[in-house]
Amino acid sequence: MQAIDDLDLKNLAVEVDDAGIATVSLNRPAKRNALDAATVEEMVALFSLMPRAGVRAVILRAEGPHFCAGLDLVEHHREDRSPAEFMHICLRWHEAFNKMEYGGVPIIAALKGAVVGGGLELASAAHVRVADASTYFALPEGQRGLFTGGGATIRVADLVGKARMIDMMLTGRVYQGEEAVAVGLCQYLVEDSEAKARDLARAAAENPPLSNFAICSAISHMQNMSALDAAYAEAVVAGIVNTQPASRGRLEAFANKTAARVRPE
Ligand code: 1HE
């Protein structure tokens, strides 16, 4: 199997620590981490490999003050793409973001600055979003004479609802701070989003990988199913996960009263 170290990455940087936590950095700060076609190909390669590389959790962060400025508008302008060409570009975005959402490895996004357009589409493919005071969210596609092409109609609409997404796209509305948490664009608002994302990744990495696989793939798949099929799939997944050898010791610890109880902080 190809190793992560063997990937030829220029616009992404990856480090995996001894606990199996991968830090993936968007690494084009001079261009505000705008997603050009090459970066998306790097994402496809990396996130295709991640679930088979023993990675237990991912922190997705960015170099520079902005998380991601979305589609590389300069490249898009320069390439003067045909409809078919841009459709294929979008399909590669979907390939990359689907690998993230359905890959089974928890991805925690550490956000800051602009999380806009395709940058929000990228963030919404992560499983948990952590923002700081500098973070702001927008879908400026309407103002640019564009439309979303990286899954926002599915994932952003899922996070904030159809009406809010339409408002964001029509009017350029920007969300930040507590309001962004309240509408569902992020789950945490903290002083240091990277430190918090690291804590969350460490906590998630303590779970058995098979449990995390189910949490970070089955729930998304089940959202695409009828309730009847989702209930069936849930039972099948639970049949496998809830009888895994890795859970035996944890169940025994609960039974003999040595396991931590669930308490509010
Ligand atoms: C870029 C991009 C980009 C910056 N493509 N090059 N996304 C947007 O509409 C957001 C566009 N970007 C911005 O609004 C601003 O750049 C930011 C708020 C993110 C940052 O502002 P600032 O003042 O820090 O930077 P800047 O001076 O605007 O840009 C610095 C450099 O980054 C500059 O390059 P330089 O070579 O002239 O130094 C910019 O050209 C470059 N840059 N953003 C390309 N987006 C699958 S469909 C998805 C559809 C969308 O994503 S639409 C939303 C696009």
Side-chain angles (χ1 to χ4, degrees):
M1 191 192 10
Q2 197 185 12
I4 289 177
D5 287 346
D6 297 337
L7 293 175
D8 183 20
L9 301 176
K10 294 190 174 60
N11 300 330
L12 300 178
V14 190
E15 274 176 40
V16 185
D17 71 13
D18 292 344
I21 297 176
T23 302
V24 175
S25 301
L26 304 175
N27 199 20
R28 246 187 128 209
K31 301 295 179 188
R32 306 306 183 253
N33 298 313
L35 300 176
D36 62 359
T39 306
V40 173
E41 289 308 319
E42 290 185 17
M43 285 181 178
V44 172
L46 177 61
F47 288 108
S48 300
L49 200 54
M50 207 66 97
R52 293 170 288 132
V55 170
R56 295 183 69 118
V58 176
I59 298 154
L60 178 64
R61 62 174 295 281
E63 293 296 337
H66 296 284
F67 178 72
C68 179
L71 175 69
D72 188 317
L73 298 169
V74 176
E75 179 189 65
H76 187 58
H77 176 61
R78 188 183 59 236
E79 294 292 319
D80 195 18
R81 294 164 169 139
S82 70
E85 282 168 346
F86 194 63
M87 177 189 72
H88 286 295
I89 290 282
C90 292
L91 289 173
R92 297 305 284 166
W93 283 53
H94 293 312
E95 183 74 13
F97 295 173
N98 287 341
K99 291 286 183 228
M100 292 171 62
E101 182 182 349
Y102 294 89
V105 179
I107 302 176
I108 321 291
L111 306 176
K112 58 184 164 180
V115 184
V116 303
L120 177 51
E121 294 181 302
L122 168 63
S124 65
H127 301 101
V128 180
R129 279 154 295 281
V130 184
D132 69 8
S134 73
T135 307
Y136 60 96
F137 302 88
L139 292 172
E141 278 83 350
Q143 287 74 50
R144 304 276 183 229
L146 303 173
F147 189 68
T148 58
T153 53
I154 302 134
R155 295 192 186 90
V156 178
D158 197 33
L159 291 178
V160 303
K162 183 174 70 173
R164 283 198 191 93
M165 182 184 168
I166 291 174
D167 178 24
M168 289 173 80
M169 290 189 70
L170 281 179
T171 67
R173 181 169 182 168
V174 174
Y175 282 101
Q176 58 189 325
E178 291 296 350
E179 196 181 18
V181 181
V183 301
L185 286 162
C186 53
Q187 292 110 302
Y188 297 89
L189 176 64
V190 293
E191 205 173 296
D192 183 341
S193 57
E194 282 190 39
K196 181 70 178 177
R198 198 157 295 283
D199 288 347
L200 296 172
R202 277 202 204 98
E206 297 285 315
N207 301 334
L210 192 60
S211 295
N212 282 345
F213 178 81
I215 294 164
C216 295
S217 66
I219 295 171
S220 289
H221 277 293
M222 285 158 189
Q223 296 294 306
N224 302 329
M225 298 176 190
S226 70
L228 194 64
D229 289 338
Y232 177 77
E234 186 187 72
V236 174
V237 172
I240 295 165
V241 174
N242 296 11
T243 58
Q244 63 177 313
S247 64
R248 290 292 306 162
R250 292 167 189 250
L251 295 171
E252 187 185 342
F254 182 83
N256 69 24
K257 301 197 185 299
T258 57
R261 264 40 187 171
V262 180
R263 311 259 189 241
E265 277 179 44

